Amino acid sequence: MGNEHLSDHQAENGHLGQHQSEQMAFKQLFDQYYEAIRNFLYYKSGEIALAEDLTQEAFLILWKKRANIDPDKVKSYLYTIANNLFLNEVKHQKVVMKFHQQPISTTSIETPQYLMEEGEFRNKLEQAISSLPEKNRVVFLMNRIEKLTYREIADRLGLSVKAVEKRMHKALLQLRELYPRI
Amino acid sequence: MQSNLSPEEKLSQWLGGNVQRRPEEVPDAETKELVELARLVDEWQVPAMRTKDDAWARLNERINQEVATAVTPTTETPQTSPAVVRPLTQRVWVRWASIAAVGLVLVASWLVLRQPTIEVIKSANGQQLTQVELPDGSRVSLNAGSELSYNTETWTSDRAVSLTGEGFFEVERGSTFRVETSHGAVTVLGTSFNVYSRAQDLNVVCYTGKVQVAVEQPKGAEEVLTLTPGMFVEANGGEVAQGELREGEAGPGWLDGSFSYRSAPLQEVMDEISRQFDVKILLEAKQNQRYSGKFTNDTLNNALKTVCGSMGLAIFEDNGVYHIRSN
């Protein structure tokens, strides 16, 4: 049954049918990793417009190189492309990050921090995270915001799990210094 | 117990996502502080300006432009002429096509994403898996000795999981979400609920949203009930009982290591303790009596003492097996 479908494609349009199938498969990849790559670039740069633009470039490069890619390694390859694109951009001196944040629920941890005015509280934490060294910041945000396991982060970034452990730990030690809680 | 772990490793037990913790482990003060700090950020979202669809539309345009002009790939790619590139792609395409012909749902292409068709998630005795994420963002926590499975390929069109044991679900809004058990099916839209399906029992508690429970009856019939927050259903064999939680609870106690019972068979309570600590417990007296009370899973001794104390039972340990006898 599947075979007929394929040969119809092939017979009908020659290389056009092939292109459509390729594009559908590519779209699946895009659907799966677009946000991850955009977020990754945002964690690095703190600039959403730049992150979105570079994400598009990254997928375009992936499309152009599609003939030469090992399917098992696409995910980490995308991260590599994105990282290289970012390095090509002018080095940013200061990273200022802003996040959409849900209102703090009333059942969350009750510490004095939460009694501060919401705007004030959020800015301080955002500042603290923006000031983290990039390596630690990226791993930390991938873990907290995208809920990726250490194993998954290690795979995507080409690191060992131990390296991820260290970066997470450092990030939190540094965060604690930058954002002291009573 | 944890003294041989570095601070990073201790932290990873709570944030790493892959590590299973024994129920009696509690973080030390330092780790706890860091974990709480980390969690402050959990609900944040990247401030996207463009939607994924819009981004795809732009990218697609550029791809079509590129294909239409049949441009040689830029200098970034290895030096090959157009005449060589196309046959290369075709060959890859054909190779993957033969795999697709064997029956995968995915379109034949140069790239088949190799994912298992059925994803199985199991929690062993003595283990709780918290916040396991499903492809649509819904989350499930599994109590000890449970198993959850779903079909990754059909997930987008049909959100259905199969459950044995006990799971607490937090379901993202979307198409109907179904939990299939051997006693019946639970169907919801975005909501949170607990499903307990072991031996002859199916217990479902609705915490938020609306839950529909279809309990299998003899001769293929079904009894269908709709639950709103605070309501629960208990089905045993063919008997179905419905009730309401006394206090407004946000979630099941087992997530916090707390197990409460109201007139439950003592054997059921012992079974739960057995699963929580992965030990063998033989109830040798008062098997037909019922227990009302609560135990926590911090230590086995506390759990057994709590339950046995109020029932006039004594605990004898012999070679790792616990015998429960009359006092």
Side-chain angles (χ1 to χ4, degrees):
Chain A
M1 188 162 59
N3 260 325
E4 285 165 4
H5 180 68
L6 294 174
S7 40
D8 277 348
H9 251 160
Q10 259 179 313
E12 181 187 32
N13 296 8
H15 100 274
L16 245 179
Q18 170 194 326
H19 169 64
Q20 274 164 9
S21 320
E22 278 184 332
Q23 221 172 356
M24 282 175 76
F26 186 74
K27 175 152 205 305
Q28 276 175 334
L29 260 183
F30 182 88
D31 283 344
Q32 199 168 1
Y33 297 121
Y34 168 78
E35 271 138 0
I37 300 300
R38 178 206 60 205
N39 291 356
F40 173 71
L41 286 164
Y42 183 70
Y43 302 152
K44 290 176 91 71
S45 67
E47 293 183 22
I48 191 62
L50 178 66
E52 286 172 346
D53 287 343
L54 292 186
T55 304
Q56 179 176 74
E57 293 305 315
F59 277 95
L60 198 58
I61 290 174
L62 184 74
W63 169 257
K64 290 180 183 170
K65 295 191 177 188
R66 65 194 182 278
N68 302 301
I69 297 170
D70 178 359
D72 288 330
K73 304 197 176 135
V74 170
K75 183 167 57 178
S76 59
Y77 190 45
L78 262 174
Y79 277 84
T80 306
I81 297 174
N83 195 36
N84 289 339
L85 285 171
F86 177 74
L87 293 172
N88 283 342
E89 287 290 317
V90 174
K91 196 97 184 176
H92 296 276
Q93 299 289 59
K94 193 177 176 206
V95 172
V96 180
M97 308 188 84
K98 294 248 157 269
F99 287 92
H100 284 327
Q101 295 167 46
Q102 310 285 27
I104 299 164
S105 73
T106 49
T107 56
S108 60
I109 314 156
E110 277 144 29
T111 70
Q113 244 53 24
Y114 284 80
L115 301 175
M116 290 164 64
E117 250 177 86
E118 281 192 358
E120 196 186 334
F121 159 72
R122 285 171 177 173
N123 284 336
K124 282 212 167 84
L125 190 52
E126 278 171 341
Q127 276 171 39
I129 287 173
S130 305
S131 310
L132 293 177
E134 186 191 295
K135 283 192 160 74
N136 302 338
R137 177 175 75 233
V138 170
V139 164
F140 173 74
L141 292 172
M142 282 174 81
N143 177 257
R144 299 325 301 163
I145 296 184
E146 287 169 75
K147 326 294 177 200
L148 298 174
T149 62
Y150 283 17
R151 170 85 261 163
E152 185 60 32
I153 295 171
D155 283 344
R156 294 187 183 202
L157 303 185
L159 303 170
S160 65
V161 173
K162 273 266 160 268
V164 175
E165 279 178 8
K166 287 204 169 86
R167 291 185 188 189
M168 274 298 290
H169 190 239
K170 281 208 185 102
L172 280 163
L173 293 179
Q174 289 159 347
L175 204 55
R176 183 170 63 178
E177 273 215 278
L178 295 165
Y179 185 72
R181 310 172 76 198
I182 297 158
Chain B
M1 199 175 8
Q2 279 189 78
S3 50
N4 51 345
L5 292 177
S6 68
E8 298 99 63
E9 284 165 332
K10 286 188 202 171
L11 188 66
S12 99
Q13 287 192 311
W14 295 88
L15 304 183
N18 258 344
V19 189
Q20 300 92 28
R21 297 188 292 279
R22 294 197 62 80
E24 64 255 27
E25 269 171 8
V26 167
D28 56 52
E30 160 94 356
T31 306
K32 184 165 185 242
E33 189 189 355
L34 296 181
V35 168
E36 280 174 10
L37 185 54
R39 285 180 179 166
L40 290 180
V41 166
D42 281 6
E43 301 302 308
W44 288 12
Q45 291 157 45
V46 167
M49 288 197 321
R50 225 175 261 164
T51 63
K52 185 158 78 173
D53 288 336
D54 189 30
W56 171 252
R58 289 164 191 250
L59 179 62
N60 204 19
E61 251 184 53
R62 291 183 67 179
I63 288 177
N64 288 334
Q65 280 169 18
E66 200 228 338
V67 169
T69 56
V71 169
T72 312
T74 66
T75 49
E76 292 146 356
T77 56
Q79 313 79 346
T80 52
S81 66
V84 174
V85 167
R86 204 171 295 157
L88 234 168
T89 322
Q90 256 176 10
R91 191 177 70 226
V92 173
W93 185 78
V94 167
R95 170 158 63 93
W96 289 114
S98 63
I99 295 173
V102 173
L104 289 178
V105 172
L106 294 175
V107 170
S109 70
W110 59 276
L111 195 70
V112 170
L113 304 175
R114 297 214 236 104
Q115 295 166 357
T117 309
I118 304 286
E119 180 82 13
V120 178
I121 302 157
K122 271 195 233 204
S123 61
N125 282 344
Q127 172 192 48
Q128 280 185 13
L129 292 177
T130 49
Q131 302 277 301
V132 174
E133 214 180 72
L134 300 174
D136 67 332
S138 298
R139 293 175 301 284
V140 57
S141 297
L142 292 181
N143 199 354
S146 304
E147 186 178 304
L148 181 96
S149 61
Y150 63 92
N151 186 323
T152 55
E153 279 173 7
T154 57
W155 181 264
T156 34
S157 54
D158 181 26
R159 297 195 294 170
V161 303
S162 174
L163 174 79
T164 41
E166 183 166 23
F168 172 71
F169 295 81
E170 290 163 292
V171 173
E172 290 294 308
R173 286 177 165 272
S175 58
T176 47
F177 183 105
R178 205 168 64 250
V179 180
E180 280 161 349
T181 72
S182 54
H183 313 301
V186 182
T187 312
V188 298
L189 299 172
T191 185
S192 64
F193 58 101
N194 196 71
V195 179
Y196 175 100
S197 167
R198 299 190 196 270
Q200 300 303 316
D201 300 323
L202 171 66
N203 299 341
V204 182
V205 181
C206 171
Y207 291 98
T208 64
K210 222 183 223 180
V211 176
Q212 181 189 81
V213 185
V215 183
E216 282 170 18
Q217 296 290 321
K219 297 181 187 165
E222 267 183 348
E223 183 164 345
V224 178
L225 305 101
T226 304
L227 306 177
T228 51
M231 287 174 69
F232 64 85
V233 69
E234 285 172 3
N236 180 298
E239 285 178 43
V240 179
Q242 211 173 347
E244 222 170 326
L245 297 174
R246 233 167 265 164
E247 306 104 358
E249 288 163 36
W254 62 265
L255 280 177
D256 296 321
S258 168
F259 299 80
S260 320
Y261 295 90
R262 234 169 279 139
S263 196
L266 193 52
Q267 185 63 60
E268 190 185 309
V269 183
M270 289 301 164
D271 285 344
E272 186 67 60
I273 297 178
S274 182
R275 276 190 300 266
Q276 288 301 312
F277 298 96
D278 196 17
V279 292
K280 188 162 178 175
I281 301 176
L282 296 172
L283 182 61
E284 295 168 4
K286 307 194 179 180
Q287 286 94 334
N288 292 327
Q289 290 209 8
R290 292 183 169 260
Y291 174 76
S292 293
K294 186 169 89 166
F295 72 87
T296 55
N297 66 1
D298 49 345
T299 70
L300 175 59
N301 281 335
N302 282 349
L304 282 176
K305 279 187 200 159
T306 306
V307 176
C308 295
S310 61
M311 300 291 289
L313 294 163
I315 310 157
F316 296 89
E317 190 255 339
D318 175 35
N319 228 11
V321 176
Y322 292 82
H323 300 258
I324 312 295
R325 300 175 185 146
S326 266
N327 239 339

